[in-house]
Amino acid sequence: MPRIEFEPKLDFKDVLLRPKRSTLKSRADVDLVREFTFRNSKKVYTGVPIVASNMDTVGTFEMAQELAQHRMFTTVHKHYTVDEWKQFRDQVAGAQQLFDNVAVSSGSGDNDFQKLKDVCAAVPELEYICLDVANGYSEHFVDFIRRVREEFPRHTIFAGNVVTGEMVEELILTGADMVKVGIGPGSVCTTRKKTGVGYPQLSAVLECADAAHGLNGHVMSDGGCTNPGDVAKAFGAGADFVMAGGMFAGHDQCKGEVIEKDGQKYVLFYGMSSDTAMKKHHGSVAEYRASEGKTVKVPYRGDVNATVLDLLGGIRSACTYTGATHLKELSKRATFIRVTQQINEIYTGLEVKK
Ligand code: 5GP
């Protein structure tokens, strides 16, 4: 029989962080750098754990170079060729801070596996691998993580996406160091509409972080952040890293074509399974799958540096308001106030039995 869960599940928009007494004098006193030791690779990470998504309009080499200067992370998209990776390596030779903040992305097919091996052989400085599939629940994906872990015992592996604790545990026990959390919250994602599947992101992060931390693993909240406040909420809910696509879109570093219309400048931003991405990388939309991403025009925003400073400033302020001297303390200091009603209560006005 189908089951219904009545316990409220929340998105970022459903909550606010409550301010708390603080000894901090200014937001400049807040430290956003975190240090993690990854469970399976045993590698130590230090940096500001905000991540540009591995979308081809965001996770570019140019983005990685800019974000690394702020000690922020980029999951470089999987469509660069091995030769392009080699050229990039030559261009940035010796820039270890860059490779401390860069992952190579991969899908879960046999071709992907071979390409991953080729890229990692061509760029030995790479220490991070991001295994990314729309549905991280398949047995095939679990087998793929096992295979990648065997091939790359010392690399740090991010894998996802899932939204529930039991699957977070399975991916970590199979070899992932950090699990990406998010199904349906993305700004150009249509999964919730096309399939009816999804999970409110704040609750997904809360529950998945709890499961991962119990195993000394980590979680990356992926998708649904539309402003710095949402990123602060994701950290408050227990995310170790926070990934965003739309917030980084529209900048020079995205390498997209700038379109002028009615005196305004725009850049195309699209989901990685949208018609636009499918046609660009595969020639057409595969018949068996619905496109679960859309294409939008976002305002052209120039250099990403200004956006980064605004983002970091917002998170520093969130830490100041909640009394967290270090980003690490934000989740310990966080009390969320629910500010929306559940839709069913609004729609029906009926008392819901809990
Ligand atoms: P945003 O930060 O823009 O809200 O979300 C970015 C995330 O959306 C990505 O990191 C990825 O997980 C997800 N995403 C990107 N493209 C697509 C797509 O075509 N379909 C779906 N379902 N999700 C996507």
Side-chain angles (χ1 to χ4, degrees):
M1 203 174 91
R3 291 184 45 199
I4 298 182
E5 280 189 35
F6 283 105
E7 192 194 329
K9 301 288 178 190
L10 305 171
D11 260 315
F12 297 132
K13 66 165 177 23
D14 296 319
V15 298
L16 288 171
L17 285 161
R18 195 175 86 184
K20 291 196 175 159
R21 194 170 62 80
S22 152
T23 53
L24 283 158
K25 287 202 188 80
S26 123
R27 67 186 201 175
D29 298 337
V30 173
D31 179 11
L32 296 182
V33 172
R34 291 215 56 182
E35 182 174 308
F36 298 111
T37 304
F38 289 111
R39 179 188 195 269
N40 295 319
S41 71
K42 313 282 185 238
K43 287 273 169 62
V44 177
Y45 159 90
T46 0
V48 178
I50 300 174
V51 187
S53 172
N54 51 320
M55 301 167 78
D56 67 358
T57 45
V58 173
T60 60
F61 289 143
E62 291 76 9
M63 186 67 78
Q65 281 171 281
E66 185 59 39
L67 294 192
Q69 296 196 27
H70 299 272
R71 305 186 72 181
M72 286 161 65
F73 206 96
T74 304
T75 47
V76 171
H77 70 73
K78 67 177 182 183
H79 299 289
Y80 285 116
T81 62
V82 178
D83 279 342
E84 285 170 325
W85 270 103
K86 281 184 189 157
Q87 282 164 22
F88 177 60
R89 178 177 185 245
D90 291 345
Q91 188 192 331
V92 300
Q96 191 52 44
Q97 177 162 325
L98 179 63
F99 287 105
D100 290 343
N101 291 290
V102 163
V104 53
S105 305
S106 171
S108 61
D110 285 341
N111 295 348
D112 294 318
F113 188 67
Q114 186 55 49
K115 184 167 168 199
L116 184 60
K117 286 206 289 185
D118 294 344
V119 172
C120 289
V123 189
E125 294 85 351
L126 274 170
E127 294 190 358
Y128 293 91
I129 294 172
C130 179
L131 302 180
D132 189 37
V133 294
N135 174 8
Y137 283 79
S138 80
E139 212 172 302
H140 167 78
F141 185 56
V142 175
D143 292 340
F144 191 77
I145 295 174
R146 191 173 295 115
R147 195 171 161 200
V148 174
R149 174 49 73 205
E150 277 167 19
E151 182 72 27
F152 300 99
R154 303 185 60 79
H155 282 66
T156 299
I157 300 176
F158 309 158
N161 283 15
V162 301
V163 283
T164 48
E166 93 283 1
M167 207 59 202
V168 168
E169 287 168 0
E170 176 149 3
L171 300 192
I172 289 173
L173 293 172
T174 307
D177 293 290
M178 176 145 58
V179 175
K180 280 205 303 136
V181 174
I183 293 187
S187 57
V188 282
C189 163
T190 55
T191 297
R192 289 179 183 173
K193 283 192 177 145
K194 282 266 163 93
T195 69
V197 175
Y199 208 101
Q201 185 67 1
L202 185 96
S203 292
V205 171
L206 274 164
E207 294 164 26
C208 290
D210 193 44
H213 295 161
L215 290 172
N216 291 326
H218 294 94
V219 284
M220 181 185 293
S221 173
D222 176 16
C225 290
T226 54
N227 51 47
D230 290 341
V231 178
K233 290 174 192 175
F235 282 126
D240 301 296
F241 281 61
V242 178
M243 174 180 268
M247 286 182 68
F248 291 110
H251 297 99
D252 294 333
Q253 287 79 359
C254 301
K255 294 273 115 192
E257 188 192 343
V258 180
I259 308 158
E260 281 215 52
K261 199 176 169 214
D262 305 329
Q264 296 282 346
K265 288 182 177 173
Y266 300 93
V267 181
L268 281 193
F269 176 55
Y270 45 84
M272 290 314 295
S273 60
S274 63
D275 285 358
T276 311
M278 286 292 157
K279 281 183 190 136
K280 183 165 175 192
H281 300 295
H282 306 288
S284 65
V285 181
E287 268 175 29
Y288 60 88
R289 66 184 292 179
S291 120
E292 284 166 22
K294 61 183 175 185
T295 303
V296 296
K297 276 204 276 306
V298 295
Y300 167 64
R301 294 194 275 168
D303 196 298
V304 77
N305 197 45
T307 302
V308 166
L309 296 179
D310 186 53
L311 172 57
L312 297 181
I315 297 164
R316 280 176 200 286
S317 262
C319 289
T320 317
Y321 273 118
T322 51
T325 313
H326 302 276
L327 180 58
K328 183 181 180 180
E329 290 154 23
L330 187 55
S331 66
K332 297 189 182 75
R333 305 281 304 176
T335 301
F336 289 109
I337 319 289
R338 188 171 150 196
V339 291
T340 53
Q341 294 290 309
Q342 287 287 287
I343 285 171
N344 51 6
E345 290 167 12
I346 295 168
Y347 279 175
T348 64
L350 295 174
E351 201 183 85
V352 180
K353 273 198 181 154
K354 300 210 168 99

